[in-house]
Amino acid sequence: MKELTIIHRRDALRATKIYQERAFANPKIKFQWNSVVQEIKGGDTVRSVLIKNVKTGEVSSLDTEGVFLFVGLTPRTEFLKGLVEMDESGYIITDDNCNTSMDGVLAAGDCRKKLLRQVATAVGDGATAAFAAEKYLEGKRPLEH
């Protein structure tokens, strides 16, 4: 890799401080703040991207050989709004056994309010929720809230 440009819609990152420091210290990583990708250009391969500055509206072009998209961490929980307790960002609040505030409804993975959202934690949540659901359906243990 010759160089990586991170195009970020805000003027700061939300990543863990140590990761930010590593990225800022890497001479191969450049940042384009307050910007979004407006268009990816090319034929069979990527040739460039059009970048729009969200503050000024200015559009510029950046030659590139590839694009990696990351859309964010907004949970897709709108369909449960008003049914289960959520935080202000839409993450579902659960107990340690993945139980929500609604009896019989469990939540697992990145839709849960928790400290870390990674594949490993989502897999653990899935196993916990499956076991808790089995016990609930067997009537052996009421859901704990």
Side-chain angles (χ1 to χ4, degrees):
M1 171 181 79
K2 296 176 187 174
E3 183 177 276
L4 171 75
T5 301
I6 296 176
I7 301 164
H8 192 58
R9 70 183 177 278
R10 297 182 38 225
D11 60 358
L13 299 176
R14 294 183 184 170
T16 305
K17 185 177 179 185
I18 187 72
Y19 293 128
Q20 289 187 47
E21 290 171 355
R22 289 178 185 171
F24 295 143
N26 189 326
K28 291 184 177 184
I29 300 176
K30 310 292 181 212
F31 291 87
Q32 187 144 353
W33 302 107
N34 300 308
S35 298
V36 294
V37 174
Q38 186 171 329
E39 184 178 347
I40 300 172
K41 297 189 140 285
D44 292 336
T45 61
V46 174
R47 299 285 182 216
S48 65
V49 291
L50 291 182
I51 303 165
K52 181 178 181 180
N53 183 297
V54 295
K55 289 194 173 187
T56 67
E58 179 184 345
V59 177
S60 60
S61 180
L62 174 68
D63 292 337
T64 186
E65 297 173 3
V67 175
F68 300 92
L69 300 176
F70 178 76
V71 239
L73 297 173
T74 303
R76 309 231 15 216
T77 57
E78 306 86 25
F79 69 100
L80 291 169
K81 194 170 187 130
L83 296 175
V84 298
E85 188 178 355
M86 297 182 194
D87 71 5
E88 62 281 348
S89 298
Y91 290 102
I92 299 169
I93 297 172
T94 67
D95 65 14
D96 290 343
N97 294 326
C98 298
N99 297 307
T100 68
S101 58
M102 179 181 263
D103 200 32
V105 177
L106 293 97
D110 291 354
C111 65
R112 283 183 62 214
K113 179 179 177 142
K114 57 186 178 175
L115 180 62
L116 182 63
R117 291 182 186 86
Q118 290 185 343
V119 171
T121 62
V123 169
D125 284 355
T128 298
F131 188 75
E134 178 184 12
K135 294 300 175 199
Y136 176 76
L137 292 172
E138 291 173 352
K140 290 186 177 176
R141 186 174 57 116
L143 287 175
E144 300 166 11
H145 295 289

